[in-house]
Amino acid sequence: MSVVINTNTSAIAAKNNLNKSNAMLQNSLARLSSGSKIVNPSDDAGGLAVSMKMSAAIKRTEATSNNIANAQSFLQTQDGALATAGKILDRMSELKTLSEDVTKNTTDKANYNTEFEALKAQLGAVAAESFNGVSLMNSSGMTVKTSEDGSQTVDIAQTTFSDDTNGIHTDLVATSDGSTSLGAAGIDLDKIKTSIENVATLRATNGAQSSRLSFATDMLATNKQNLEAANSRIIDVDVATESTQLARANILVQAGSSMLSQANASSQVALRLIG
């Protein structure tokens, strides 16, 4: 090999290798300090694109879970109101039966009727209840999305509280102004019994809808867990592997620095030939 002064090819090669090793060292330091495998888009352009889509899907899954939880809160509140209505109807049926006792005088029956009318007014108050501005007892049907892409849904059935066929008979519910048309004596017991059966059906429907939403929440939790695991494999750094790379790069940088110094000194042999 020729002995030259102007071009030190050994030093140039050592410098290039040192730059590569230093770049490896800086990348390992950045990954370990950030915890992310992808520090720059150039590290894994395709993986970054996939990770962004997965991250968006994870956030949508969390939002969907929150929406389902709110729908369940609505149903639980509605069931509480229906349970209260059922207790009121139980008492009204009892008062109706007591008021028909032949041994009771007019005053006694009037006292029963006073409580009966008060309970009708309370049923009217229950009918007016709402959850965050949404009517509990006179709501139209609602559709709850149960998947992050919106393709899966659960329907919450329409509920009509004061209804002669599917709800509480209108004669048993006081109007909005508090007035009532019929007292205990004027109400047919069958209307109360049918109303109790209808409330039981409404509660059963409510429970079925709530149960389905619970299973939908479980499914979302499983999907979210697996999405996060898949996303982690793309963007999260493996500390054990990367720390090994860091140690390797660190040794290469030190060795490269030493060899660059040796390569720079090797050209001094030309001075000896000149001297």
Side-chain angles (χ1 to χ4, degrees):
M1 182 176 180
S2 301
V3 178
V4 297
I5 297 175
N6 289 335
T7 304
N8 189 339
T9 56
S10 297
I12 293 172
K15 182 197 69 172
N16 289 338
N17 288 329
L18 177 60
N19 287 339
K20 292 178 182 178
S21 298
N22 190 57
M24 290 170 56
L25 177 63
Q26 297 306 316
N27 282 337
S28 292
L29 287 171
R31 288 169 181 166
L32 288 170
S33 62
S34 66
S36 177
K37 188 188 299 183
I38 305 176
V39 178
N40 299 302
S42 58
D43 293 337
D44 186 359
L48 178 62
V50 174
S51 175
M52 288 183 65
K53 291 188 290 184
M54 283 188 173
S55 295
I58 290 170
K59 291 185 181 298
R60 289 195 301 271
T61 300
E62 291 176 348
T64 303
S65 295
N66 289 334
N67 290 346
I68 292 176
N70 289 336
Q72 285 182 304
S73 295
F74 173 89
L75 288 173
Q76 289 166 1
T77 306
Q78 184 187 69
D79 181 66
L82 288 171
T84 299
K87 293 177 181 178
I88 293 173
L89 288 170
D90 287 346
R91 178 58 178 166
M92 291 177 75
S93 67
E94 182 182 7
L95 291 171
K96 170 63 178 176
T97 303
L98 290 172
S99 69
E100 294 176 342
D101 186 352
V102 295
T103 66
K104 298 297 190 302
N105 58 36
T106 304
T107 302
D108 294 333
K109 293 182 179 181
N111 290 334
Y112 286 135
N113 190 67
T114 298
E115 183 180 354
F116 193 90
E117 292 290 343
L119 293 178
K120 289 177 65 176
Q122 186 58 36
L123 282 177
V126 172
E129 290 290 336
S130 63
F131 180 87
N132 194 34
V134 179
S135 175
L136 287 172
M137 296 303 171
N138 297 286
S139 61
S140 58
M142 294 182 287
T143 299
V144 181
K145 294 183 178 180
T146 57
S147 61
E148 57 87 13
D149 60 359
S151 61
Q152 302 294 326
T153 60
V154 170
D155 291 331
I156 295 179
Q158 179 178 355
T159 301
T160 304
F161 185 75
S162 181
D163 181 81
D164 293 347
T165 303
N166 299 313
I168 298 176
H169 201 282
T170 52
D171 289 343
L172 301 175
V173 183
T175 58
S176 58
D177 60 3
S179 62
T180 56
S181 58
L182 297 173
I187 295 292
D188 192 317
L189 182 59
D190 286 340
K191 293 181 180 179
I192 303 177
K193 291 167 60 179
T194 300
S195 297
I196 293 173
E197 292 173 359
N198 289 343
V199 168
T201 300
L202 289 173
R203 292 195 66 189
T205 301
N206 177 289
Q209 293 166 165
S210 182
S211 177
R212 187 176 176 186
L213 288 178
S214 294
F215 285 113
T217 299
D218 292 342
M219 191 69 244
L220 280 176
T222 300
N223 289 343
K224 181 174 178 289
Q225 176 183 349
N226 289 305
L227 279 172
E228 288 178 335
N231 192 41
S232 175
R233 285 189 286 270
I234 296 174
I235 65 170
D236 290 339
V237 67
D238 184 335
V239 176
T241 300
E242 199 59 45
S243 61
T244 302
Q245 294 297 324
L246 176 66
R248 175 175 176 271
N250 196 25
I251 293 172
L252 285 174
V253 167
Q254 295 181 46
S257 298
S258 178
M259 293 306 100
L260 178 59
S261 177
Q262 292 291 329
N264 286 333
S266 66
S267 61
Q268 295 178 5
V269 71
L271 295 177
R272 297 175 186 174
L273 296 175
I274 294 174

